[in-house]
Amino acid sequence: MPFYHALPEYPELRHVLVRHEQAAAHAADGYARATGRAGVCVATSGPGATNLVTGLATAHMDSTPVVAITGQVPRAMIGRDAFQETDIIGITQPITKHSILVEQVDELADAVREALRVSTEGRPGPVLVDIPKDVQQAKADRRTGGPTDGSVTGAKFGARSPSARPPVRLSALSDAVRLLTEAERPLIMAGHGVILSGAYDELRALAERTGIPVITTLLGISGFPESHPLHLGMPGMHGEVHVNRAIQQADLILGVGLRFDDRVTGNLAAFARGARVIHIELDPSEIGKNVATDLGLVGDAREILRELLARVAPRGCEAWREEIESFRRERQESFRGDLSPAGILAAIDVAAGGRCTIVSDVGQHQMWVAKLYPYQRPNTHLTSGGLGTMGFAVPAAMGAALARPDEPVWAVSGDGGFQMNMQEIATMVQEGIPVKMAVFNNGYLGMVRQWQQFFHGRRYSATPIWSPDYVKLAEAYGIYGRRVERGDQVNEAVREAIAQPGPALVEFLIEQEANVFPMIPPGASLSEPIEGEPAAPRLATA
Ligand SMILES: Cc1ncc(C[n+]2csc(CCOP(=O)(O)OP(=O)(O)O)c2C)c(N)n1
């Protein structure tokens, strides 16, 4: 109440009232991913605060700077199970980078500054500031201490000042250069760190100078142009066969700003057995955490790539040029049917004139979006990678749309994830946030159905999913809505949706039992992909 009482005095703060606090956290996250600045969300104590939890965990897993401000019961009531009391600091401790319970009003301004700074500095992450009601009601002299050069609230993770940590040792850099020069089949694996540090130009220059092919992890997508002749694609569980084959055949992997997640490596014991690994990473605790590393370079990806560029001599990758080219030729889509994800995504790209941001949800459609959308511009693919949070796309797209008013922002969801946060259409209408929503409706929790088909003998337990009439839903919210059943309706629907000044909803009735290929079964190595419909039902292994 005190926070909202004061809010009208600060018209320069854009406040967006969401319908569910989970959406506030995701919207702040979407804003943060799109701008590099902290996204801020606010919730009341108790249930409001706990509703933020999934969004904070999502931001934590993907290293994005979100600041959550929560109300708390008055100090004298803390610990007495007061009405709407929760220990939100305790609940969120493992999923925040930092959290602060503000116990004195004198500390409030510094706590908020500190939260903004910590969230963006170094490896970004979520920070929670919990403020008891009586602290909010107390008076203090407005403290104007702290930096006034904008370096706090204006801090951007992509434009960090050079890190305070000691520079990478010269001997380590020259070891890296030697490994890069001597390798016959080197590969660059680019992760989220490339985007967080804004290392696009440096990555591209290094690849072009050395001829080393680049693969982009789910969160590294749009860190390197999709159509670049050196771009191979996405690795891992749903990565293309040729990308995983390249990993398995490589003799050197240069990992840039990634954490070698299990969805990327498959069975660790069989991951890139012939390769030495150089790992560039801001967070030293990531080095060697999952994959044994021959050389770790700790620091900002952009700074370290610059150092390498200054030292590495031009080279080609002759020993493996032919394989790389054949890998690229193998890129293909294995979707049957007239209304294909590739066709829908191509239509969105064309209708947006190549200028749009895609925010995907979690499931099969997420993998299609990751592999098939022709990303050319930096940081135009936003998705929940580490936590894999269904329901992320719609609210995160709201945050991205507020950050990028000059281009269409599309939320691409499945019928399952869309129904987890579709209440936010009301927010879009009330606040004039023109998110374009694509629902890939297959009538199933598709990714789970696929696992049931492959590993549980087609026992479709609790995966068929009913949907409301999305056209009528759009109508109920007073927005454009359209159902697309055939390939020849795609272009027009997408164009019309983009032409709307406000939000728009397009439902695509895609083939119900389409699968995402290839797929590395859980626990298997990158060399064991399933490339087509399994002949006989298998039993679950994991
Ligand atoms: C909040 C949440 N609950 C459950 C899951 C597990 N899960 C992963 S994918 C998936 C199905 C997604 O179905 P849908 O949204 O329809 O997308 P599709 O796979 O059909 O494209 C589920 C339930 C999850 N990732 N997130």
Side-chain angles (χ1 to χ4, degrees):
M1 295 299 297
F3 177 94
Y4 280 93
H5 187 84
L7 195 59
E9 285 162 41
Y10 298 88
E12 66 276 22
L13 288 179
R14 172 82 194 258
H15 177 270
V16 174
L17 180 76
V18 295
R19 294 299 180 272
H20 186 300
E21 293 90 344
Q22 179 187 357
H26 291 320
D29 186 346
Y31 177 87
R33 291 181 202 232
T35 58
R37 293 199 169 84
V40 181
C41 55
V42 181
T44 191
S45 68
T50 55
N51 273 350
L52 296 176
V53 167
T54 300
L56 294 176
T58 303
H60 185 64
M61 286 289 266
D62 288 351
S63 307
T64 64
V66 168
V67 172
I69 297 174
T70 48
Q72 184 54 278
V73 300
R75 283 169 300 177
M77 304 291 280
I78 291 178
R80 298 177 176 221
D81 291 341
F83 179 64
Q84 295 195 331
E85 178 186 4
T86 50
D87 174 8
I88 195 64
I89 299 259
I91 290 170
T92 57
Q93 205 119 52
I95 53 163
T96 47
K97 187 175 171 190
H98 184 51
S99 51
I100 312 165
L101 172 68
V102 181
E103 290 182 275
Q104 301 295 336
V105 70
D106 294 350
E107 295 161 5
L108 181 52
D110 283 343
V112 172
R113 285 194 197 97
E114 171 88 345
L116 289 161
R117 183 180 63 73
V118 171
S119 72
T120 48
E121 191 180 74
R123 182 178 183 171
V127 177
L128 185 125
V129 187
D130 197 25
I131 314 174
K133 180 170 181 178
D134 58 324
V135 173
Q136 294 188 42
Q137 287 168 322
K139 299 265 183 229
D141 285 340
R142 168 112 57 100
R143 295 264 298 274
T144 50
T148 51
D149 58 359
S151 65
V152 173
T153 52
K156 280 187 79 164
F157 55 56
R160 276 193 297 262
S161 50
S163 43
R165 85 186 72 248
V168 176
R169 277 178 298 115
L170 286 179
S171 63
L173 284 172
S174 52
D175 285 348
V177 169
R178 185 175 47 76
L179 290 170
L180 285 169
T181 311
E182 287 173 4
E184 293 192 347
R185 296 184 309 283
L187 253 189
I188 297 174
M189 284 178 74
H192 200 193
V194 170
I195 290 171
L196 292 173
S197 73
Y200 314 103
D201 294 345
E202 291 76 7
L203 174 65
R204 186 173 173 159
L206 184 70
E208 289 175 356
R209 178 163 321 159
T210 56
I212 303 180
V214 178
I215 64 189
T216 40
T217 68
L218 179 60
L219 290 183
I221 289 170
S222 78
F224 192 77
E226 201 273 345
S227 64
H228 194 286
L230 287 169
H231 187 237
L232 288 186
M234 184 179 84
M237 179 172 269
H238 287 294
E240 285 100 324
V241 172
H242 67 275
V243 177
N244 289 336
R245 195 179 301 145
I247 292 174
Q248 298 299 66
Q249 292 177 12
D251 63 359
L252 179 72
I253 289 176
L254 174 64
V256 187
L258 79 169
R259 54 193 176 83
F260 292 104
D261 172 87
D262 59 86
R263 286 298 193 255
V264 164
T265 62
N267 179 357
L268 261 183
F271 174 77
R273 289 256 277 275
R276 293 178 161 224
V277 174
I278 307 176
H279 193 176
I280 299 176
E281 174 53 55
L282 188 66
D283 181 350
S285 68
E286 288 295 347
I287 293 179
K289 184 178 89 178
N290 292 331
V291 164
T293 302
D294 296 273
L295 182 62
L297 301 175
V298 177
D300 180 77
R302 188 173 182 198
E303 289 170 28
I304 294 180
L305 287 175
R306 268 194 199 143
E307 298 288 344
L308 289 178
L309 262 174
R311 291 171 172 79
V312 79
R315 59 161 290 182
C317 277
E318 275 67 34
W320 97 312
R321 174 160 315 285
E322 250 179 46
E323 280 152 286
I324 291 167
E325 275 162 16
S326 74
F327 289 158
R328 277 186 60 80
R329 278 195 299 274
E330 278 180 44
R331 298 191 71 165
Q332 54 177 358
E333 199 217 342
S334 54
F335 190 89
R336 292 170 286 130
D338 164 50
L339 188 55
S340 73
I344 298 166
L345 296 169
I348 290 177
D349 180 54
V350 169
R355 276 195 71 80
C356 87
T357 295
I358 305 277
V359 187
S360 64
D361 212 72
V362 173
Q364 293 183 309
H365 65 282
Q366 179 189 32
M367 294 297 110
W368 288 316
V369 165
K371 295 198 289 182
L372 300 172
Y373 194 83
Y375 298 97
Q376 299 308 327
R377 293 186 309 133
N379 196 18
T380 48
H381 168 255
L382 312 182
T383 198
S384 163
L387 200 66
T389 307
M390 285 170 72
F392 172 82
V394 166
M398 291 200 303
L402 287 165
R404 296 185 180 168
D406 299 329
E407 64 184 63
V409 174
W410 279 85
V412 179
S413 314
D415 40 327
F418 184 72
Q419 292 186 69
M420 288 190 179
N421 268 323
M422 66 186 185
Q423 79 283 347
E424 295 308 321
I425 300 173
T427 309
M428 295 174 203
V429 171
Q430 184 171 349
E431 297 280 342
I433 308 173
V435 172
K436 313 300 174 188
M437 291 162 277
V439 180
F440 283 25
N441 187 353
N442 51 14
Y444 282 103
L445 295 170
M447 185 58 94
V448 181
R449 184 208 56 74
Q450 175 171 341
W451 281 55
Q452 290 173 331
Q453 180 188 345
F454 287 14
F455 312 118
H456 293 263
R458 279 188 186 267
R459 192 188 283 246
Y460 292 168
S461 167
T463 41
I465 179 169
W466 179 90
S467 278
D469 180 329
Y470 290 115
V471 176
K472 284 193 181 147
L473 183 80
E475 203 183 305
Y477 283 105
I479 67 169
Y480 172 91
R482 170 110 189 232
R483 178 173 303 117
V484 171
E485 296 171 47
R486 297 190 316 269
D488 62 6
Q489 302 167 328
V490 173
N491 285 328
E492 191 184 72
V494 166
R495 267 201 313 268
E496 284 180 7
I498 290 181
Q500 302 300 313
L505 170 57
V506 187
E507 173 193 20
F508 297 96
L509 290 182
I510 62 165
E511 191 191 308
Q512 291 210 296
E513 294 193 46
N515 288 318
V516 181
F517 292 112
M519 176 176 191
I520 307 292
S525 84
L526 295 185
S527 308
E528 303 166 89
I530 301 174
E531 294 189 61
E533 306 292 333
R538 305 188 192 196
L539 285 181
T541 50

